[in-house]
Amino acid sequence: MTTTLNRTPFADAWLRDLWTPRLADLRSEGPVPAADVYRDGEDLVARLDLPGVNPAEDVTVEVEGRKLVVRGERKDQRPEESEGRRISEVRFGAFRRVVTLPKAVDGDAVTASYDAGVLTVTVAGVFAGTTPQRIEVTSA
């Protein structure tokens, strides 16, 4: 007897939800900005896409223990009244993005800059003194 399993969007979502940890820090009601987080030498660099925000008024960058927290709001500046139909794929509202750091850092080690809709946050020296340790894999 042959059994065929078909993948469906429902099954994919169910399996993803089953194996995805439910962390309070990762839940968000609003849009979550896309991020590119990488290691640059001993520094951690996080680049977040935040087009259309005023970084001085609408964005905060904080360090909470081992967490880098970027939160803010993208405000809708469009007039309420418009004629005809409109298609809008732009998300507005409050956002929050959390990046877990390898160790706790002082706030003085964090710098942030905003250019052309991209917020770049650098955590200096967060990888200092850490080297990858190779683990031997054995077979049974």
Side-chain angles (χ1 to χ4, degrees):
M1 171 182 234
T2 303
T3 304
T4 304
L5 297 175
N6 294 324
R7 293 180 64 182
T8 64
F10 172 76
D12 289 345
W14 181 78
L15 287 171
R16 184 175 51 248
D17 289 345
L18 180 66
W19 296 109
T20 302
R22 297 289 184 187
L23 301 174
D25 290 336
L26 298 178
R27 282 190 235 160
S28 174
E29 295 299 320
V32 177
D36 182 20
V37 181
Y38 57 93
R39 180 178 180 164
D40 183 15
E42 294 183 344
D43 303 341
L44 179 136
V45 178
R47 299 182 72 225
L48 290 90
D49 289 341
L50 298 175
V53 300
N54 181 347
E57 295 178 11
D58 299 330
V59 177
T60 60
V61 178
E62 300 172 335
V63 175
E64 299 174 0
R66 288 187 51 213
K67 297 177 187 172
L68 173 67
V69 181
V70 178
R71 63 174 60 104
E73 181 177 3
R74 184 171 183 190
K75 298 176 181 171
D76 188 357
Q77 303 294 334
R78 299 172 298 176
E80 290 296 321
E81 297 178 19
S82 64
E83 293 184 24
R85 295 182 183 255
R86 178 176 64 187
I87 297 173
S88 178
E89 295 180 350
V90 178
R91 294 182 177 198
F92 297 98
F95 60 85
R96 180 172 184 240
R97 188 71 191 239
V98 178
V99 177
T100 302
L101 303 172
K103 64 181 179 182
V105 296
D106 187 53
D108 295 336
V110 181
T111 59
S113 64
Y114 183 84
D115 184 37
V118 177
L119 176 70
T120 303
V121 181
T122 303
V123 183
V126 74
F127 290 107
T130 61
T131 56
Q133 181 179 359
R134 186 176 179 99
I135 306 299
E136 183 181 342
V137 178
T138 60
S139 59

